[in-house]
Amino acid sequence: VQVVYSGGGLVQTGGSLRLACTVSGLTFENHAVGWFRQAPGKAREGVSCISWSVHATYYTNSVKGRFTVSRDNAKNTVYLQMNNVKPEDTAMYYCAAGPDGGECSWYPDDFAYWGQGTQVTVSS
């Protein structure tokens, strides 16, 4: 399984950024995909997740109303649209695919397939 990112980088406070995560090597439409982030010195936290079945979406409280997760199964890709970003959004962002038929979760250990991550830095 391979996970490839695009997007990420440096953005000013209040700006927007879109992350994309393309997963190959599995039946993509059968897998929930989560976005996680980890800032220096902090634990990895769940940011958002999109389910495989009805494309239900979930967000941690700190990003609700600002971030939007979506998926395009034809392209094996999940997107995280980040609007009105804040300095506290600065972190390494990861997407991860869960097990076949599994549900969304906030726990990293529930996700089997991870990429290397992409850095997002929000300047104040």
Side-chain angles (χ1 to χ4, degrees):
V1 176
Q2 188 175 17
V3 180
V4 177
Y5 297 92
S6 63
L10 178 65
V11 61
Q12 290 186 331
T13 296
S16 296
L17 208 59
R18 188 176 82 158
L19 307 182
C21 164
T22 300
V23 184
S24 59
L26 46 70
T27 307
F28 181 76
E29 58 263 30
N30 291 348
H31 295 260
V33 178
W35 285 97
F36 294 81
R37 66 186 179 187
Q38 188 166 18
K42 295 189 177 181
R44 189 168 296 190
E45 66 167 341
V47 175
S48 182
C49 188
I50 185 164
S51 72
W52 66 275
S53 55
V54 296
H55 295 188
T57 56
Y58 306 89
Y59 302 94
T60 193
N61 285 339
S62 62
V63 307
K64 281 181 182 177
R66 300 189 298 120
F67 290 11
T68 302
V69 63
S70 61
R71 64 190 296 159
D72 183 343
N73 286 344
K75 296 181 178 180
N76 281 20
T77 299
V78 171
Y79 303 95
L80 185 68
Q81 178 67 42
M82 307 167 61
N83 296 331
N84 190 24
V85 295
K86 303 176 180 181
E88 51 264 43
D89 295 322
T90 294
M92 184 71 78
Y93 282 71
Y94 301 88
C95 80
D100 195 320
E103 300 301 328
C104 275
S105 167
W106 293 116
Y107 299 102
D109 286 348
D110 290 338
F111 291 81
Y113 310 105
W114 293 79
Q116 296 293 329
T118 186
Q119 178 67 38
V120 172
T121 302
V122 182
S123 62
S124 56

